[in-house]
Amino acid sequence: MRLESVSRSPIYSHFGETVTGVSTIRAYHVQERFIDESDSKVDKNQVRKYPSIIANRWLATNPGLVGLSVSYALQVTQTLNWLVRMSSDIETNIVSVERIKEYSETKQEAPWELPNSRVPREWPSEGKVVFDNFKVRYREGLDLVLRGISFTIAGGEKVGIVGRTGAGKPV
């Protein structure tokens, strides 16, 4: 009630000043500004008055009905809290299911050991790496990022790989 009373005073002051200066307001054609300002002050007052009206309506209601309403309101709040918590848990746990689905759809790699491709025990006989018409892309369906590169790295040579950060250089 105190807040409502404090917000009512500016309405009266503004109204009195507007009536006193009505000829000046009309001369400058600013009626809309004063109407908007008055509406704003009345709205602020009503925001503070509304809880008082609601409280009076509650107090005029049957006490048993008030108790029942408050009891149901508390149960609804608890149910909504539970619902939000369960929804969050489901969202968190569904990530595991999504990962399993993604992994199950991933193309399988070749087996670690192929039955018909055993290498000799003394392999490699010399230390060198040969790239012959090497082509590579980041993943299937994308354009090639290296196109037909051929080079040889002799045993004992050191190789440096240069490129921008995030360009996909091997570690």
Side-chain angles (χ1 to χ4, degrees):
M1 291 298 287
R2 183 177 177 278
L3 292 175
E4 187 267 329
S5 176
V6 168
S7 68
R8 191 179 330 123
S9 178
I11 296 172
Y12 295 140
S13 296
H14 183 263
F15 183 75
E17 292 168 1
T18 302
V19 170
T20 304
V22 74
S23 58
T24 307
I25 293 169
R26 285 187 179 155
Y28 283 100
H29 302 289
V30 289
Q31 295 95 323
E32 283 299 317
R33 187 180 92 198
F34 278 82
I35 291 170
D36 290 344
E37 193 174 332
S38 177
D39 287 348
S40 173
K41 291 181 185 306
V42 170
D43 288 347
K44 285 181 183 176
N45 176 261
Q46 291 301 309
V47 165
R48 285 156 179 86
K49 178 78 173 167
Y50 187 74
S52 172
I53 294 168
I54 297 302
N56 284 332
R57 292 289 283 165
W58 270 87
L59 293 173
T61 309
N62 178 352
L65 188 58
V66 171
L68 183 65
S69 299
V70 169
S71 173
Y72 279 146
L74 290 173
Q75 286 180 358
V76 166
T77 303
Q78 290 172 348
T79 303
L80 288 176
N81 285 340
W82 177 84
L83 183 65
V84 168
R85 193 172 56 248
M86 290 299 108
S87 298
S88 175
D89 286 348
I90 288 172
E91 182 70 27
T92 301
N93 292 333
I94 201 69
V95 171
S96 301
V97 175
E98 288 171 346
R99 282 191 185 144
I100 290 171
K101 180 182 180 290
E102 182 180 328
Y103 291 148
S104 70
E105 293 172 352
T106 302
K107 185 178 172 184
Q108 293 291 317
E109 295 180 3
W112 187 253
E113 292 185 22
L114 298 173
N116 297 331
S117 63
R118 294 270 182 207
V119 293
R121 185 171 180 85
E122 60 278 350
W123 183 85
S125 58
E126 62 178 299
K128 79 175 178 180
V129 177
V130 177
F131 283 82
D132 186 24
N133 198 23
F134 181 69
K135 299 174 186 174
V136 70
R137 61 180 44 110
Y138 285 110
R139 71 173 175 269
E140 195 172 325
L142 295 179
D143 292 338
L144 290 171
V145 291
L146 295 178
R147 298 176 186 92
I149 295 177
S150 299
F151 61 94
T152 302
I153 303 170
E157 282 186 328
K158 294 186 179 184
V159 178
I161 298 174
V162 180
R164 291 177 43 176
T165 301
K169 301 178 298 293
V171 180

